[in-house]
Amino acid sequence: VDLEVVSDLPSAVERADIVSTSTRASKPIINGDWVQPGAHIDLIGSYTPDMREADDTLIAKGAVFVDCRETPIEYVGDLTQPIANGIITAADVLGDLYDLVNASVQGRENDSQITVFKNGGGAHLDLMVANYVANIVS
């Protein structure tokens, strides 16, 4: 995997297939107009109602998935703010990590679809990974 440090965020996002953010941003740092068709965006920072990493444009045009349906939809600004602004509804969140792992929802539908995964944060993911690792080690 080729990684690079960039100083021009819009240009880097426009060229990226995968963008992962892990910030404490209070205002969006990723603009949906920068994101190319087929890109995947991981939003794993900004975990309170007044914090955001993605703008409304990205949330509106992406197929949105979350780590656990309750946390980000009810408590995290990347989703609570677009819902409050009428950009999306809670029903527009297509599924959570449990749904994706169990294949009860479809992930990416085609090569041009933009997918967004919002991690609301929580120890449940740490516990799931630790349990998985413990089971394959033993």
Side-chain angles (χ1 to χ4, degrees), residues 128-138:
M128 287 169 41
V129 171
N131 185 46
Y132 176 78
V133 170
N135 285 328
I136 60 173
V137 169
S138 55

Side-chain angles (χ1 to χ4, degrees), residues 66-129:
V66 295
D67 60 335
C68 179
R69 195 172 284 276
E70 291 77 18
T71 305
I73 291 174
E74 296 179 16
Y75 303 107
V76 178
D78 278 312
L79 295 179
T80 61
Q81 291 181 34
I83 290 170
N85 295 338
I87 303 301
I88 64 167
T89 68
D92 291 317
V93 174
L94 301 177
D96 63 16
L97 187 58
Y98 303 98
D99 297 327
L100 289 166
V101 169
N102 292 323
S104 59
V105 299
Q106 181 174 345
R108 180 179 300 279
E109 293 181 0
N110 59 62
D111 291 343
S112 63
Q113 185 178 40
I114 294 170
T115 53
V116 176
F117 183 81
K118 178 59 190 173
N119 182 1
H124 64 285
L125 293 177
D126 297 334
L127 182 59
M128 287 169 41
V129 171

Side-chain angles (χ1 to χ4, degrees), residues 47-68:
Y47 47 86
T48 69
D50 59 336
M51 299 170 87
R52 288 191 73 177
E53 293 180 309
D55 70 352
D56 284 349
T57 301
L58 177 58
I59 298 302
K61 72 194 245 184
V64 178
F65 300 90
V66 295
D67 60 335
C68 179

